[in-house]
Amino acid sequence: MDILLMPPPPDGDQDRGHTIFGLYWTLFGLSIIITVLRFYAHVSIRAVGWDDWLMLVAVLLLLGFLIPGTLMILDGGCRHLYFLLSTPGGIEQVITVTKLFYICQPFAIMCIATGRMSVGALLLKILVVSYWRKRFVWFTIVSTFLVSMLNSILLFAACTPTEGLWNILITANCWDPTIMTNVTIFTSSWNVLIDVCLALLPVTLFWNLNMSLKKRIALCFLMGGGLLAAISGAIKTSKLPEANAVDVTWGTYDLLLWNGAETFLVILCGSIPALKPIYDMCVRRQRASTRPLFSLPRKPTYKLKNIFPSLSTGDDSYVQLEPIQKNPARLTAIEVVPPANVDVSQGRGGDDTTALHEFHRVPWERTASGESITIHAAKPSREPPPAANALRGDDMV
């Protein structure tokens, strides 16, 4: 009651609960969408695992936090304590708000812990051949669960009887409030450390993969999103001492704000790697939709002297070839239209051969018309042609 002896807060009777209310339910809706997409992605590739179920449990725990949290906000849980006590029935209202605040805490603690356990379970799918990394991930999963569960239990063991935590009208034997504050700070700090470890652990694996630097960096960013959750968790940890403020209902506003941000980032960053199958499906569909219904193949252009050495005039004349099919054995004929300054009568008919493919040689003969040459396919040879006759990539325009 000492707060009634203090002057009224200079900013008046304000209720900041509407901001918290809108933020939390918006983030919960986004968390539902992310979780549904996560299950859809893993069902599509038949890879649903216990990491997905743990994330679903985290979302349900978030709902368990939101229900009493919403009731707390509607009862004035984000108003100045001075004005709550000044209204008729204010003491009962403060008792109700404080009780709802304590009911929220185990759900909030275990929601964040379960989300981090889901991240660890997802890493266990990836680290299938790394013994020490798997052992370390198991350590983070078990330790996160034990530390968070211990915090939840000690939270209600701080007073005997437990009702003394929120009912200021009864006599109870309670610990020094700073004890539970320090326990909660340790739990939150441990979770931040786990976030950092789980975000950096994949880097030690992906950085040594035999792939381009760009892909390795992309994988590290994809799996390292937990650093964002670690940052928000660190800010929330710095706000924990505000829970012991005299004006507790007003002072815990920033704590609730950053707790919501940390919870959502744990769910979001822990699910982004699991959404990659959806990204792959979207990319494939986009490529299929942008592909024309039909298209005329572009005629590749080769230097004339590399196609028909006997017709070369010594310059870099070019000739247009119809595209060769992938299977040369099914090739029937290719029409070649030489430049106007080349005399096709110089060809030696079926006795002349030229390399049209790196591993295949076909004979060619000219038609009676002087305007074009028709190349008839022969049975492909299994032996590669001499290097001098091979069609090289640098001969293409």
Side-chain angles (χ1 to χ4, degrees):
M1 302 299 179
D2 294 339
I3 193 171
L4 294 178
L5 304 178
M6 301 175 62
D11 51 355
D13 187 8
Q14 301 182 29
D15 190 354
R16 298 189 289 183
H18 303 293
T19 303
I20 299 292
F21 178 84
L23 173 68
Y24 268 93
W25 282 103
T26 301
L27 296 181
F28 176 72
L30 294 176
S31 300
I32 290 289
I33 295 174
I34 293 170
T35 306
V36 170
L37 291 176
R38 179 192 183 112
F39 270 88
Y40 174 77
H42 280 185
V43 167
S44 65
I45 61 175
R46 299 180 181 179
V48 177
W50 63 295
D51 58 311
D52 303 305
W53 296 111
L54 282 173
M55 191 60 74
L56 178 61
V57 172
V59 174
L60 294 178
L61 288 171
L62 177 59
L63 179 62
F65 167 80
L66 283 179
I67 293 175
T70 300
L71 296 177
M72 180 191 73
I73 291 173
L74 295 178
D75 284 339
C78 291
R79 293 172 59 196
H80 283 290
L81 188 60
Y82 178 91
F83 295 107
L84 280 178
L85 293 173
S86 300
T87 56
I91 295 180
E92 289 77 11
Q93 189 175 5
V94 170
I95 293 175
T96 302
V97 167
T98 309
K99 182 179 180 179
L100 291 172
F101 178 79
Y102 276 97
I103 293 175
C104 290
Q105 297 311 302
F107 291 99
I109 294 171
M110 295 310 300
C111 172
I112 295 174
T114 309
R116 289 183 170 92
M117 293 164 61
S118 174
V119 175
L122 179 62
L123 287 177
L124 289 176
K125 287 183 177 181
I126 302 174
L127 308 175
V128 293
V129 295
S130 180
Y131 179 80
W132 73 268
R133 292 184 180 91
K134 290 181 66 175
R135 292 285 182 176
F136 180 77
V137 172
W138 272 113
F139 169 75
T140 62
I141 293 175
V142 174
S143 63
T144 299
F145 175 78
L146 293 178
V147 170
S148 300
M149 183 61 69
L150 182 62
N151 188 8
S152 301
I153 294 174
L154 292 179
L155 182 67
F156 291 96
C159 279
T160 305
T162 306
E163 187 181 355
L165 290 170
W166 56 81
N167 193 344
I168 59 178
L169 299 180
I170 66 173
T171 302
N173 184 19
C174 298
W175 300 347
D176 188 334
T178 58
I179 295 178
M180 279 310 304
T181 300
N182 292 333
V183 171
T184 307
I185 289 176
F186 170 78
T187 302
S188 184
S189 302
W190 182 260
N191 288 333
V192 170
L193 178 62
I194 294 299
D195 273 334
V196 174
C197 292
L198 293 180
L200 298 181
L201 183 64
V203 177
T204 63
L205 176 67
F206 297 145
W207 202 252
N208 296 323
L209 294 179
N210 186 18
M211 60 176 57
S212 64
L213 178 62
K214 181 179 179 181
K215 290 184 178 180
R216 281 181 288 170
I217 294 177
L219 283 174
C220 292
F221 272 103
L222 183 67
M223 301 299 298
L227 291 176
L228 296 177
I231 294 173
S232 62
I235 298 176
K236 185 197 76 172
T237 303
S238 67
K239 305 293 182 181
L240 286 173
E242 297 177 357
N244 294 329
V246 176
D247 194 358
V248 61
T249 53
W250 185 264
T252 55
Y253 173 81
D254 291 336
L255 176 61
L256 293 173
L257 193 68
W258 284 105
N259 180 78
E262 181 189 15
T263 303
F264 174 71
L265 287 175
V266 167
I267 296 175
L268 173 64
C269 299
S271 298
I272 286 179
L275 300 180
K276 189 177 183 301
I278 294 182
Y279 171 79
D280 294 337
M281 287 187 290
C282 293
V283 170
R284 287 196 298 267
R285 289 178 182 177
Q286 182 179 8
R287 290 176 179 175
S289 62
T290 56
R291 185 180 302 169
L293 183 61
F294 65 92
S295 60
L296 297 176
R298 184 178 63 88
K299 294 182 179 182
T301 304
Y302 303 98
K303 290 183 179 181
L304 180 63
K305 61 182 180 180
N306 291 330
I307 297 298
F308 300 108
S310 60
L311 298 183
S312 177
T313 58
D315 57 6
D316 287 338
S317 301
Y318 294 92
V319 63
Q320 297 286 338
L321 255 69
E322 294 292 343
I324 303 175
Q325 299 181 18
K326 293 183 179 180
N327 188 355
R330 299 181 180 179
L331 186 65
T332 56
I334 299 179
E335 185 178 15
V336 180
V337 181
N341 62 343
V342 176
D343 184 6
V344 297
S345 62
Q346 296 178 8
R348 292 178 295 180
D351 296 332
D352 197 359
T353 59
T354 188
L356 293 180
H357 192 273
E358 186 175 358
F359 298 103
H360 303 288
R361 293 162 61 87
V362 297
W364 66 275
E365 61 182 6
R366 64 180 178 83
T367 59
S369 172
E371 298 178 355
S372 65
I373 299 175
T374 301
I375 300 176
H376 296 279
K379 185 177 181 180
S381 173
R382 294 185 180 273
E383 298 181 358
N389 291 331
L391 183 61
R392 302 186 302 272
D394 58 358
D395 295 327
M396 301 177 63
V397 176

